[in-house]
Amino acid sequence: MSHETTGIEYLFQDPKIHLDERVRDLVSRLTLEEKVESMLQYQPAIDRLGVAAYKHGTEAAHGIAWLGEATSFPQPVGLACTWDTELMRQIGSVIADEARVYYRRDPKLNGLTLWAPTVDMERDPRWGRNEEAYGEDPYLTGELSKELVKGIQGDHPVYLKAVATLKHFLGNNNEVDRGSGSSSIDPRNLREYYLRAFEKPFTEGGAQSMMTSYNLINGTPATLYHGVNDIVRDEWGMDGFVVSDAGDVMGIVNDHQYYDSHTPGVAESIRAGIDCITDDAELSKQAIREALAQGTLQEEDLDRALFHTFRVRFRLGEFDPAADNPYASIGEEALMTEQARELSLRAAREQIVLLKNEHELLPLNPARCGKVAVIGTHGNEVYRDWYSGTLPYRVTPLEAIRAKLEGGDVKERVVYRDAKNRVTLTAANDGAKLTVDSSGGMRLSQDGDPTVLTMTDWGYGSVTLHDEHLGTYVTSDEETLRVTADEAYGWYVKEVFGLTPIEQGEYLWTTWNGKPVIAGTEGSLKVVEAEKSALNAVECNASTASTVSGQRHTTFQVETVSDGLAEAIAAAQAADTAIVFVGNHPLINGKEENDRPGLELAASQQRLIEEVYRVNPNMIVILTGSYPFAIPWVQEHIPAIVYTSHAGQEHGTAIADVLFGDYAPAGRLNMTWVQSEDQLGDIKDYDIIRGGRTYQYFEGESLYPFGHGLTYSPFEYNNLRTDAPKDGVKSIAALNAVDTLQVWVEVTNRGVAAGEEVVQLYVRPGASRVKRRPLKTLCGFQRIRLEAGETRTVFFTIRMKDWAIWDVTRDCYCVESGEYTLLAGASSADIRLEHPVYVRGEVIPPRQAGRSIRAENFDDCSDIVLDESKEQREACVRPRTPQRSGWIAFHGVDMDTVSGVELQCRVSGNSSDATIELCLDAPDSEAVARVNVGNTGGTQAWVTLSEAVHSVSGTRDVYLWLSGEVRLGHFNLGDHATEDSGFQA
């Protein structure tokens, strides 16, 4: 049948043709300028071909965001605490359904390529974006992300419901200097930790998109990182498209200062695997045109990228009849359904973690708990984070608790105190009072009464001010203040202020970005530029003549009209049960672009807990947070502690259900909670192995371990067993490294009510060539529900290849021979049963002298970071600072494979004192060779230098000391450079 008789004008319009052929046909019909235009996030309409405009990128971290009302789910940090893979798939499906609804409303602006999930590994709880990801364990993150991807993309063999974009690839776990800093990640950390979280969502979840990160990876901007093509596409087989993060391709120049102009960065990004540029459109297009003209970019490079983006659009059904695509019929009926609402509540319940429950204080009995005091700001609020959607409704904890205790006079039985101070502000110099008019205008006046504002202290110098009469917050712009904001919200949270005490009860009032608020003319308030000294509380006081932008400072007196703490104490003292709500605001003191200033609660919240406990020890703390907190005092003293993320529309309902036993909590922590920040290293240190990060390597005493969470019923574990046959020699269960292991464990609910348990399975490796193996690693988990007295056999399938380490001597994964121990329990620290298994794997051979060894493949190091070598695709190493020497170690080098030894180094130097010294067996042994590198002409001016070494034999540990501005790419210990030494350059 001809195309003319079917109404099909072009080959790409024929659904019967193979997908790839259709995509290639469409791309081939585009003019070069149309191809340039289509390289951006907003792909234009091409009317002559019947191609519609399309926007890549709809935020969907825990529900559709920024398009209008949509079902809201808990923050991803909370979803991770569910440890529920099936729940994640169902949530993904709802998100995709609602994306389809908005797509049908406006397909040009509401695309189906969704920017979720965030798969970044969270090895540091101070990360400002902690609420967006799934925790510190790559297995947990990979499994949960994989299922969310499946839910989003659907299960049809041809069509996608929507597309999941994994972000941010790779090593993106600090906000300070995120656009200019480099994440130093050696091959073992890379392969055993950071990549493993991303692998399963691609290889098993089939994710069709990925977003690169802002940072450099070992000195290379993530948009240029070879792993995008080499690993994600070539190793994992990802056949979708790669998108850059917003502004990041231009960031190669603007932030990284990697090139002097945009053209080479744009060209190299596209060649390195970026298919879709989320950036300044005109700058990007001009750079592409220039690169094409210069020959640094070819048209086929654009064709390859557009093949990837249009292939995904074809799979979304855009170019096919709606009748062929089962997802095309999804309409308004799929938005905020009753089923979605129930799923939101289920998720909000499942993510709640019971941290402590002394004397079985929880659950509360409504008939016996007496008068209840609900205390704290979070008790009557539901906050949303930057990537939250518009909540269709919100149930606060106070509302839900009152609903549980209905009957009689509810207000008499449930008393609420928010513990906030009500204050007035007065100009210190002339006594003018701050007043607010009915439109939200603010001024200083000598007449009338001052306006009372409710002040919330978020800690670390951040407060918000709210006018209860108007129901709005004080907010600022570049020049003025008004009381017009419905909530503290925005990329820049302009509702946050500082009130810095100066002296004698006077305060310097500053805006969110540190600009002083001063008295202007005729009673007005002005926001002005600040001199650096102006914000120094030591230098700045009421008696000085310091000025801001030529104007004298205005300091303010803050008078407390009502003392929120005193009111909370009185309410707690008069109550039988006190429930204190504390936690963070998801946009204050920690968010995108801002790492947390500390792990502690706001000082005012800590004091609130302590003072309430002093008068009423029958107390429960509800901690609402986007991240772990360091709360050792609370853990020591408070009998019951509950953790929840900001859980969306059903936040309050879920909390009340847990408090009163209508739902037994079973959430488990997705991160280790440390005792204090002192137990953490530098937030920019990505070496979890040597830094002792996460439960896998942390040897200190945690506050709450990874996987921790209590419930209302005791669960018993019995009969951990496997299908591995016993080895006649080893006398224990044994199997081969390519095998799959079946594992069973019996779990019994010994309580009097039904409950849920998260059964966790870990593996502990035995002896290894590698000195630093994980203490234990999660290898399986299941969330199960058991009736009272019920026993169930929980089944796991374990692939032995997942126990592999990255062998830096051969650049490959390796399952080492030896004994491994399976650990089953309720958390990483609460292990109930152990079972040994012997694996017949490999014994890693010694390194061979005479062969080129890449410097990045060290076994150990000290004061070393990885950086870029532009002459090779791998990283090089250098001292952390030029002023301090560092070393790299290579264990077990067989020197008997060469007749004589010469140290040959591929190096660059940028200082006269740049040197490399060779030591054997210990880093502090006497050097046996010294290479004076000096200045080779710059950090990327690579040369090969050699130095003879005295006769060496046996298998030795090699230590290389690097001093000055020196970089080492690879080295060789041999007679002379040979064909396979890697020194042909």
Side-chain angles (χ1 to χ4, degrees), residues 626-644:
S626 305
Y627 31 63
F629 290 89
I631 51 169
W633 189 96
V634 179
Q635 166 60 21
E636 182 181 354
H637 294 89
I638 305 305
I641 309 168
V642 175
Y643 167 71
T644 172

Side-chain angles (χ1 to χ4, degrees), residues 363-597:
L364 297 173
N365 187 327
R368 299 177 183 173
C369 63
K371 188 175 182 178
V372 174
V374 175
I375 296 169
T377 300
H378 291 78
N380 198 30
E381 293 282 359
V382 177
Y383 295 107
R384 61 190 185 117
D385 61 39
W386 178 242
Y387 290 110
S388 292
T390 303
L391 277 60
Y393 65 90
R394 57 188 76 194
V395 180
T396 72
L398 177 63
E399 293 168 340
I401 290 170
R402 282 181 168 156
K404 296 289 184 186
L405 298 177
E406 62 187 356
D409 191 338
V410 176
K411 292 184 180 179
E412 285 292 328
R413 189 172 181 196
V414 180
V415 176
Y416 175 62
R417 296 291 182 269
D418 59 21
K420 302 176 187 177
N421 287 348
R422 272 67 181 173
V423 302
T424 60
L425 279 77
T426 305
N429 60 334
D430 61 4
K433 305 161 188 174
L434 179 68
T435 61
V436 180
D437 62 32
S438 59
S439 65
M442 303 182 73
R443 60 181 291 103
L444 292 167
S445 174
Q446 298 287 349
D447 303 321
D449 295 326
T451 298
V452 176
L453 297 174
T454 302
M455 183 169 69
T456 306
D457 180 1
W458 295 104
Y460 303 100
S462 298
V463 301
T464 52
L465 298 166
H466 184 257
D467 187 317
E468 292 181 318
H469 177 70
L470 295 178
T472 50
Y473 286 85
V474 180
T475 188
S476 65
D477 56 26
E478 294 303 308
E479 296 182 352
T480 61
L481 303 182
R482 293 188 64 79
V483 190
T484 54
D486 292 329
E487 59 182 326
Y489 191 82
W491 182 258
Y492 301 113
V493 188
K494 298 181 179 180
E495 295 72 43
V496 173
F497 295 91
L499 285 170
T500 305
I502 306 301
E503 61 178 22
Q504 300 173 343
E506 297 180 13
Y507 295 80
L508 181 67
W509 188 4
T510 52
T511 61
W512 65 277
N513 54 352
K515 294 183 178 182
V517 177
I518 69 168
T521 58
E522 298 181 354
S524 65
L525 290 173
K526 293 182 64 178
V527 177
V528 294
E529 293 294 332
E531 297 174 357
K532 288 186 178 180
S533 63
L535 299 184
N536 188 316
V538 176
E539 298 176 16
C540 213
N541 57 66
S543 63
T544 69
S546 299
T547 61
V548 180
S549 298
Q551 303 177 67
R552 189 179 182 85
H553 284 310
T554 302
T555 57
F556 292 84
Q557 294 175 335
V558 180
E559 181 179 346
T560 300
V561 177
S562 62
D563 186 329
L565 178 61
E567 292 172 348
I569 293 171
Q573 195 166 20
D576 299 289
T577 303
I579 308 174
V580 176
F581 287 81
V582 294
N584 80 306
H585 187 295
L587 290 170
I588 300 174
N589 296 331
K591 62 177 286 289
E592 187 167 357
E593 286 203 329
N594 298 108
D595 289 316
R596 297 169 64 188

Side-chain angles (χ1 to χ4, degrees), residues 259-337:
Y259 289 121
D260 294 331
S261 71
H262 295 305
T263 300
V266 171
E268 193 174 338
S269 291
I270 294 171
R271 293 199 308 271
I274 299 298
D275 305 308
C276 180
I277 298 173
T278 309
D279 218 311
D280 184 290
E282 295 308 314
L283 278 177
S284 300
K285 288 185 287 188
Q286 184 60 31
I288 294 173
R289 295 184 192 109
E290 290 177 0
L292 289 168
Q294 295 168 2
T296 56
L297 196 63
Q298 304 300 318
E299 186 171 357
E300 50 262 38
D301 294 320
L302 304 187
D303 291 347
R304 182 176 57 253
L306 295 175
F307 176 86
H308 295 144
T309 54
F310 276 107
R311 190 177 190 276
V312 165
R313 289 177 63 177
F314 270 88
R315 291 200 62 194
L316 288 166
E318 179 182 343
F319 299 95
D320 292 355
D324 293 349
N325 178 6
Y327 304 125
S329 61
I330 296 174
E332 294 293 328
E333 76 286 346
L335 185 65
M336 297 181 293
T337 66

Side-chain angles (χ1 to χ4, degrees), residues 91-101 112 114 151-152 161-162:
I91 289 173
S93 183
V94 168
I95 290 172
D97 285 342
E98 299 194 348
R100 280 275 172 183
V101 174
L112 292 172
L114 310 183
I152 287 174
K161 186 187 288 189

Side-chain angles (χ1 to χ4, degrees), residues 217-239:
I217 303 166
N218 297 337
T220 301
T223 53
L224 311 182
Y225 180 54
H226 69 86
V228 173
N229 281 328
D230 293 352
I231 298 172
V232 179
R233 290 200 185 281
D234 295 346
E235 288 188 29
W236 298 343
M238 194 274 272
D239 57 0

